[in-house]
């Protein structure tokens, strides 16, 4: 039996737009060949940015036609549309407490441009829904149990039962793609993974130590961490396929070190501003750290990382950030 999708309306303008669109596009919406009614919540964030309410309304109309079932709730949270098969209250909570919070904080410190296209965030309620619906919607099986960003499908695809940390991580990637298209994988993933366990300190997003720390410490003790010149020069093929775990851990805790020294935002701006002259970020790293000898710095950094312990964040603010 087909149920109506949950309806959450915040702006009368959205009603008018949807009515106009329906009149100009009278073809029925279908799921499994049966008509389904759906409206959508417009968050306050949907009133700003490069896309209009009409753009989002058209996008939602297309989304409604591809929903796997009537169990899904849609929430516009610019620059995304969040679609989830948990309760409407849970989808709304993720949209505000995780998506909006992360977008606001990332734009505050790093990014001036939204992604160039309206992107979808699919939040599947459990592993079964994640595996099954990813195959139905995108014709592929997920390569991770947590979630990923697909620029091909213009979507962030999540098993939200594993927590909101991966969602924050993946939100970083389309912003990097839009604001820093020449960004090398080490910094793209270093910044993303820094915020997969995050909270708020002095009004800014702040990454905490997390599950990647013990593995990195073991590699440091084994003397197998590459030089920073090697890490920063890795192309995507090498970063993602050759010693992936070490690459992620080293990149994350280099970003963590910069954060703890108050240098991460300065590094981003320096690197971003000089990317043509410094495509790997190595020279920018030397400048921000105040040393040309990054071999000696690596020894200092390794000692620092070995002295860290994994944070236990007892009260994430807002909820659902950590993962």
């Amino acid at each position: 039996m087909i149920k109506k999708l949950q309806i959450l309306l915040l702006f009368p303008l959205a009603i008018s737009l949807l009515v106009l669109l329906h009149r100009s596009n009278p073809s029925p919406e279908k799921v499994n060949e049966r008509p389904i009614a759906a409206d959508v919540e417009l968050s306050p964030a949907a009133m700003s940015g490069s896309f209009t309410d009409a753009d989002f309304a058209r996008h939602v109309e297309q989304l409604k036609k591809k929903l796997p079932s009537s169990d899904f709730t849609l929430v516009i949270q610019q620059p995304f549309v969040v679609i989830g098969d948990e309760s409407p209250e849970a989808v709304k909570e993720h949209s505000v407490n995780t998506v909006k919070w992360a977008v606001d904080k990332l734009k505050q410190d790093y990014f001036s441009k939204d992604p160039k296209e309206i992107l979808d965030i699919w939040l599947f309620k459990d592993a079964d829904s994640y595996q099954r619906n990813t195959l139905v919607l995108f014709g592929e099986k997920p390569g991770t149990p947590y979630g990923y960003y697909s620029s091909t499908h213009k979507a962030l695809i999540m098993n939200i039962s594993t927590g909101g940390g991966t969602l924050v991580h993946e939100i970083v990637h389309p912003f990097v793609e839009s604001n820093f298209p020449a960004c090398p994988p080490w910094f793209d993933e270093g910044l993303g993974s820094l915020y997969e366990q995050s909270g708020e300190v002095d009004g800014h997003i702040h990454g905490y130590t997390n599950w990647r720390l013990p593995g990195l410490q073991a590699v440091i003790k084994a003397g197998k961490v590459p030089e920073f010149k090697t890490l920063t020069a890795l192309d995507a093929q090498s970063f993602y396929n050759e010693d992936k775990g070490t690459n992620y851990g080293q990149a994350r805790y280099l970003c963590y070190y910069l954060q703890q020294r108050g240098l991460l935002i300065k590094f981003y701006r320096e690197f971003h501003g000089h990317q043509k002259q410094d495509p790997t970020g190595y020279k920018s790293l030397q400048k921000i750290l105040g040393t040309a000898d990054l071999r000696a710095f690596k020894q200092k950094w390794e000692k620092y990382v070995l002295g860290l312990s994994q944070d236990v964040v007892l009260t994430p603010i807002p909820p659902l950030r950590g993962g």
Side-chain angles (χ1 to χ4, degrees), residues 11-304:
F11 294 100
L13 177 59
I15 300 174
S16 302
L17 287 167
L18 288 172
V19 170
L20 288 172
L21 284 166
H22 178 72
R23 288 176 178 172
S24 62
N25 251 324
S27 58
E29 305 141 15
K30 294 184 179 181
V31 174
N32 297 330
E33 301 304 318
R34 287 176 289 177
I36 183 170
D39 288 309
V40 60
E41 175 178 353
L42 285 177
S43 74
M47 301 301 291
S48 61
S50 57
F51 294 98
T52 66
D53 287 340
D55 294 326
F56 275 96
R58 283 189 291 269
H59 186 83
V60 166
E61 289 300 305
Q62 294 303 311
L63 270 177
K64 289 188 291 185
K65 297 174 184 178
K66 64 186 288 187
L67 293 178
S69 75
S70 61
D71 297 327
F72 286 83
T73 299
L74 296 92
V75 179
I76 291 176
Q77 190 67 69
Q78 199 182 66
F80 304 105
V81 176
V82 181
I83 315 105
D85 58 350
E86 295 180 290
S87 70
E89 294 78 17
V91 178
K92 168 67 174 176
E93 185 178 29
H94 291 304
S95 300
V96 175
N97 289 351
T98 302
V99 177
K100 184 181 188 302
W101 174 83
V103 168
D104 288 348
K105 295 305 176 184
L106 290 169
K107 291 177 72 171
Q108 175 183 349
D109 287 343
Y110 300 103
F111 306 121
S112 60
K113 301 176 183 177
D114 282 344
K116 295 179 181 179
E117 300 176 277
I118 297 174
L119 300 177
D120 304 322
I121 296 179
W122 292 88
L123 302 181
F124 300 114
K125 63 184 179 181
D126 54 31
D128 176 69
S129 176
Y130 173 60
Q131 294 285 340
R132 174 169 38 84
N133 287 307
T134 299
L135 185 60
V136 168
L137 288 163
F138 307 111
E140 61 192 27
K141 293 183 178 180
T144 164
Y146 309 107
Y148 61 100
Y149 166 55
S150 172
S151 57
T152 300
H153 299 301
K154 304 175 187 177
L156 288 75
I157 303 158
M158 302 287 137
N159 173 6
I160 198 61
S161 69
T162 63
T166 299
L167 176 54
V168 178
H169 176 143
E170 299 304 333
I171 284 172
V172 170
H173 294 322
F175 276 97
V176 169
E177 192 176 73
S178 178
N179 289 268
F180 196 174
C183 184
W186 79 265
F187 189 65
D188 188 10
E189 295 296 350
L191 195 66
S193 63
L194 176 64
Y195 295 133
E196 68 198 4
Q197 180 71 44
S198 59
E200 194 169 308
V201 174
D202 296 330
H204 295 264
I205 189 170
H206 182 91
Y208 297 102
T209 58
N210 73 339
W211 59 271
R212 295 187 192 272
L213 180 61
L216 178 61
Q217 289 173 329
V219 177
I220 290 174
K221 291 175 183 177
K224 295 182 179 180
V225 176
E227 298 295 332
F228 283 116
K229 191 166 190 177
T230 301
L231 175 72
T232 57
L234 292 176
D235 59 16
Q237 174 71 21
S238 299
F239 185 92
Y240 292 112
N241 296 306
E242 299 175 11
D243 209 1
K244 178 179 177 179
T246 299
N247 295 336
Y248 268 83
Q250 185 180 8
R252 183 188 201 271
Y253 283 94
L254 174 56
C255 288
Y256 180 84
Y257 178 92
L258 292 170
Q259 171 193 260
Q260 296 302 96
R261 295 296 185 271
L263 299 174
L264 182 57
I265 297 171
K266 292 179 182 178
F267 171 76
Y268 172 80
R269 293 173 182 170
E270 174 68 24
F271 184 18
H272 182 267
H274 297 87
Q275 56 183 299
K276 290 184 179 179
Q277 300 87 356
D278 180 26
T280 71
Y282 186 76
K283 293 178 182 178
S284 297
L285 198 56
Q286 289 175 311
K287 180 176 179 179
I288 293 300
L289 290 171
T291 178
D293 188 357
L294 291 194
R295 287 179 179 268
F297 167 74
K298 178 171 173 281
Q299 294 179 347
K300 176 183 177 181
W301 172 82
E302 288 181 339
K303 183 177 180 180
Y304 171 80

